[in-house]
Structures are given as structure tokens and as C-alpha cells.
Amino acid sequence: MKKLLFNPFATQPDNKLLLAGLFSVVTGSILGWLFNARFDGVLDLHFVPETLWWHPFADNAINVFSAVTLLFIAGKIINRKTRITDVLSVVLLARTPLYLYTFANINSYTYNATEVLLQAKDNIYALSPTLLIIQLVSALVVLAIVFWYMALLYNGFRVATNLKKGSQIAGYIATVLIAEIISKILISVLPY
């Protein structure tokens, strides 16, 4: 079970991974629209007051394009046999934990709770202990989701490229960060 959750790329067939990844992105985009989530970077998810149906689809298209393009180039540098379909499967499927977190914003709960916290930043003692506990638990869930996402992305890229050396790992980390920056820039220039 652990392998399926953190490294399905080592055991599952390529076509199954690609289909699961495509299903995940489409479903995640729909969830983003339903729960007012914006995927405004390769590593990001933020809740907003309102989204149009196409916002999460556009966000995810840019994020996937940025990550796949840069990770494929890095993969080719690491291993000339790296296939774009493998990198695409990794990027698509690794984003699944982000999509699951959209459920935290049912009825705009997380967005509204965050707004309350931001407004009370000068008087934190006025906040209800229940809200603070819920936000603390939510923060721990976010950390777990980010860890899961990063584990999937790293493990998948490692399998796709035969990543082994420390310098290659450093290159992988730099590539993900550059993909994050590029996706944020591209999303910020969209007319919405």
C-alpha cells in the first residue's frame, strides 16, 4: 500500500499511470472550480472568493506544461533515454494530493477562516480556541499533502530518469523551483 501511495511509478504500467494522471487533473480542475481553488503555481493551491469554471483548468494546464517541459529537459540531461510520456505521467499524477485538499474549502470554510485570521492578526486573543485548533490541524494536513505531493514527484522523476547522484538531485530541486517561478509568471499574466 505504501508503494502505491508514494511510488506507484515503480509498479504500475505506463498507460495506467498516464490515464490516472489525466483523470486526476480533470477531476482536480473540476474540484478547484467547485471549491474556489486556484492552482497558481506548480507547488501552490490557494482558495479565493470565486472562480470561473475555466480558471483551475488554465492553472493546471500552465502548471503541467511548465513542470513537464523543464523536468523533461532535466531528465534528458540525466538520462538520454528519458521519455516525455513518463515525465508527463509523473507530473499529472503527483498533483493528486493537491486536488484532494480542495475539499477543505467546502462552503468556502478555509477561505473564510483564513480571512478571519488575517483580520485578527493584531488581536489574536479575540479568536475562538476552536478556530485556532482547526487551523492548526489544517496546517498539519497541508504539510502532509505537500510532503505526499513532493514524494510522488520525486519518486516518479527518479524512476523516469534513473536519478541517483547528489548533483542530479540538486538539479532536480532547482528545476522544480524554476518551474514554480515560470508557472507563477505565466498565470499572473492571464486576463483574470
Side-chain angles (χ1 to χ4, degrees), residues 2 8 23 32 39 46 59 63 68 70 83 92 107 116 122 134 145 148 151 157 161 171 183-184 191:
K2 182 180 173 185
F23 177 78
F39 306 101
H46 294 97
D59 294 345
N63 292 326
V68 168
L70 293 177
R83 300 179 314 166
L92 292 172
N107 293 326
V116 168
D122 296 329
I134 290 171
I145 283 173
W148 186 15
F157 187 74
T161 63
S183 66
K184 280 210 154 303

Side-chain angles (χ1 to χ4, degrees), residues 38-141:
R38 293 297 309 275
F39 306 101
D40 55 347
V42 167
L43 305 173
D44 293 322
L45 162 65
H46 294 97
F47 296 113
V48 295
E50 183 180 6
T51 56
L52 298 176
W53 71 268
W54 59 273
H55 288 169
F57 285 93
D59 294 345
N60 279 323
I62 290 170
N63 292 326
V64 169
F65 173 78
S66 301
V68 168
T69 301
L70 293 177
L71 287 172
F72 180 64
I73 291 168
K76 281 294 195 184
I77 292 168
I78 293 167
N79 181 351
R80 300 188 125 250
K81 295 180 181 178
T82 299
R83 300 179 314 166
I84 195 158
T85 55
D86 294 338
V87 175
L88 178 61
S89 296
V90 167
V91 170
L92 292 172
L93 199 55
R95 296 183 60 75
T96 303
L98 294 177
Y99 306 140
L100 294 176
Y101 188 65
T102 61
F103 288 105
N105 202 42
I106 292 174
N107 293 326
S108 295
Y109 177 80
T110 301
Y111 175 78
N112 292 332
T114 302
E115 289 299 305
V116 168
L117 284 175
L118 290 174
Q119 290 172 5
K121 66 181 175 189
D122 296 329
N123 190 10
I124 193 123
Y125 300 106
L127 295 171
S128 95
T130 305
L131 176 65
L132 292 174
I133 291 169
I134 290 171
Q135 287 302 101
L136 176 62
V137 170
S138 181
L140 294 173
V141 170

